[in-house]
Amino acid sequence: MSYSNGDMCGIAGYVGERNGVEVAYDQLKRLEYRGYDSAGIAVQVDGRLDLVKKAGTLNMLAKELELHPITGTCAIGHSRWATHGGPTDLNAHPHFDGEQDVVLVHNGIIENYLELKEELMQKGHTFLSQTDTEVAAHVIGEEYRKGGTLLEAVRHAVRRFRGAYAFVVMSKSEIGTIVAVRNASPLVLGLGQGENLLASDIPALLPYTRQVVAMEEGHLAELKKDSLRIVDGDGRDVPVRPQIIEWDVAAAERGGYEHFMLKEIHEQPQVIRQCLAGRLTEDRVFLENIFSDTVWNEIDRVNIIACGTAFHAGLMGKHLFEKLLRLPTDVYFSSEFRYGDPVLSPKSLAVFVSQSGETADTLAALRLCKSRRIRTLGIVNVVGSSIARECDRTIFTQAGPEISVASTKAYTAQVLVLSLLALHIAQVQETPGLRVADWVEELRLLSDHAQTVLTLEPETVKLAEQLKNMPLCFFLGRGADAYVGYEGALKLKEIAYIPTQESPAGEMKHGPLALVEAGVGAIFGATDPSTVDKVVSNIKEIQARAGTVLSITSDTSGAIRKASDHTLEFQPTRFDFLNALLSVIPMQLLAYHIANAKGCSIDQPRNLAKSVTVE
Ligand code: M6R
């Protein structure tokens, strides 16, 4: 059972007899492994709502609570992983509505918040933060002042929201009541004796209760100290069915998964949704905080600069930029770029891809470009990181905290952002023959496709047993499949310690084929129908030298299956590029299960660090 699903923020809530501030703080502490950049707590006291919040670590919040103590038996708390608006005191949660009638915390993204904000500003509302959350607080406050219960107000308000969210709300007048609603962002409720709790993840409930209810999509909950009511979106009561959680705390942090890496692999459908949230309209893509159209029309070359997995995502970007836009694109290792005295056109764009936003070589390459007055764009996961701050513009991948050293979900989000960027440029340049609307339609389905690809996991477990003793493994493909193979190879070598040779399949006969012998494995990515015949020939070349071939394929002709020793097959989307991207998921699963079968230390592979902040 897993409740953790790629969400970004930590949510806490308590109603009972204890000091709610202490409980909420303790709950936030237990969610610390998720990463955060600001935190806050609100309580009900004598017909008003008090709150304390602070940018930075939970210790910063603790100091702020010492300076401005608050207390109450009904409290909500939040640790924020910034997506809209930087990590500042004002952007931290909880947020009040304009009249301070309600206060709330939020996890997720309200896609239509700019429209709602505009509408509210015309009615005279003013806002203190840059967040979508504060807009939601104002909408809920407005509904609440129409009369009725807080539960009803929240139920009506969320009909005005588009996006993925979990909200937890208190009002100043309904004493001892917390209302929660869930739509695509996880929320779990904990049933205690004379007290009830809620949280975004199970570890925050375990010290208080093991009776847990995972909220369903679209449901709302009303928590009081002696009661819990759950209703559906139409206000109809639904039965409360608690489950007993037997996990220990460490397992609960991983959402019941054995390792963070596996949890993060499984989060990818949700990450795809998060990454696309607010960025797709009916038939176009929308990227916030991007250069003007004049700039996009002027750019003559793109240089993508990154390390490791982010470099591999950059290769996918190159493939798309050149194929879709005919825009010349180079991809550089940051460490080579910074010392390589690169030739840079003054009209070029330098794109820096980084999960952490702190990789030393990538940061140095960025500073080099800035000193040469080249335009810079970041594609970064961690809001507030150095690369995000120093680039002229930054697009966030919105993948949520990635804890495993081996990057998985960040890669998928990076490739997606590069795809959105290509489509944005296509829109501006009105690229002939490219129908952005078709891409938008397919991108909307991508999360479901990823979910289906994950069902290949049991087959990867079996294959892992058969392949775990390979002395060497090739990763081969053509076009985008070759680039995805580079990432698959990195996963296998970094966590399972199996030597790999990754290469475009056509290169094999120019040397690497000499390494093939019995026991050697070759993993082919085969998602491009236009190269199936060529790939089949390459498969035969391996087999003729006693190598074993596993193909990861969306080929519907059956040719790849027939030629290979093993296949992992999935249904294709309409775009070969997206099929290639999806094929990384079985590669990640295979690497994970091989490493697991070999007893390797998966989340902390030997000699490696999550963020390489030294040269
Ligand atoms: O934080 P960054 O994306 O800049 O990190 C770059 C590489 O260090 C990173 O992608 C590394 O290769 C991965 N941990 C590999 O799984």
Side-chain angles (χ1 to χ4, degrees), residues 261 305-312 334 353-360 362-363 379-382 387 402 404-408 410-411 414 487 490-491 494-495 605 608-612:
M261 181 181 178
I305 300 143
C307 302
T309 290
F311 174 86
H312 298 149
S334 310
V353 186
S354 176
Q355 188 285 129
S356 63
E358 300 293 349
T359 300
T362 310
L363 187 57
I379 295 179
V380 176
N381 197 33
V382 179
I387 295 172
E402 191 179 65
S404 162
V405 168
S407 187
T408 52
Y411 171 82
Q414 287 160 351
E487 177 56 13
L490 179 60
K491 293 296 86 103
E494 72 181 321
I495 60 164
L608 299 178
K610 180 68 185 158
S611 184
V612 185

Side-chain angles (χ1 to χ4, degrees), residues 526-537:
T527 65
D528 181 351
S530 72
T531 59
V532 164
D533 292 350
K534 300 275 173 241
V535 171
V536 167
S537 305

Side-chain angles (χ1 to χ4, degrees), residues 76-241:
I76 60 176
H78 189 266
S79 51
R80 177 169 186 250
W81 171 270
T83 54
H84 285 62
T88 62
D89 289 355
L90 279 179
N91 286 339
H93 299 209
H95 286 278
F96 283 125
D97 70 313
E99 310 286 321
Q100 303 202 352
D101 286 334
V102 300
V103 69
L104 61 76
V105 296
H106 164 216
N107 180 9
I109 295 173
I110 306 297
E111 294 182 16
N112 57 334
Y113 83 104
L114 286 175
E115 285 160 45
L116 292 167
K117 192 170 186 175
E118 185 74 14
E119 192 185 309
L120 291 163
M121 281 166 76
Q122 276 169 14
K123 291 188 205 162
H125 289 242
T126 53
F127 295 89
L128 303 172
S129 76
Q130 300 154 311
T131 61
D132 50 346
T133 307
E134 193 185 8
V135 175
H138 280 239
V139 172
I140 292 174
E142 197 175 54
E143 292 291 340
Y144 194 46
R145 282 186 290 282
K146 289 180 185 165
T149 62
L150 183 62
L151 182 72
E152 282 303 290
V154 174
R155 195 168 69 78
H156 288 127
V158 293
R159 291 189 174 154
R160 293 164 65 183
F161 301 153
R162 269 201 326 269
Y165 50 78
F167 286 110
V168 177
V169 195
M170 292 188 304
S171 77
K172 68 178 183 192
S173 38
E174 281 177 60
I175 305 300
T177 303
I178 299 177
V179 169
V181 59
R182 182 214 157 150
N183 178 34
S185 295
L187 206 51
V188 283
L189 311 173
L191 276 68
Q193 294 291 326
E195 60 185 10
N196 285 314
L197 301 101
L198 53 80
S200 47
D201 214 349
I202 291 176
L205 301 176
L206 292 187
Y208 304 95
T209 179
R210 286 188 172 254
Q211 282 204 67
V212 166
V213 180
M215 279 187 75
E216 303 280 338
E217 290 293 298
H219 283 184
L220 295 98
E222 187 185 61
L223 286 89
K224 300 179 192 270
K225 71 180 173 127
D226 297 316
S227 67
L228 168 63
R229 183 178 169 215
I230 300 183
V231 300
D232 65 16
D234 294 319
R236 287 183 298 245
D237 280 277
V238 292
V240 175
R241 293 205 179 91

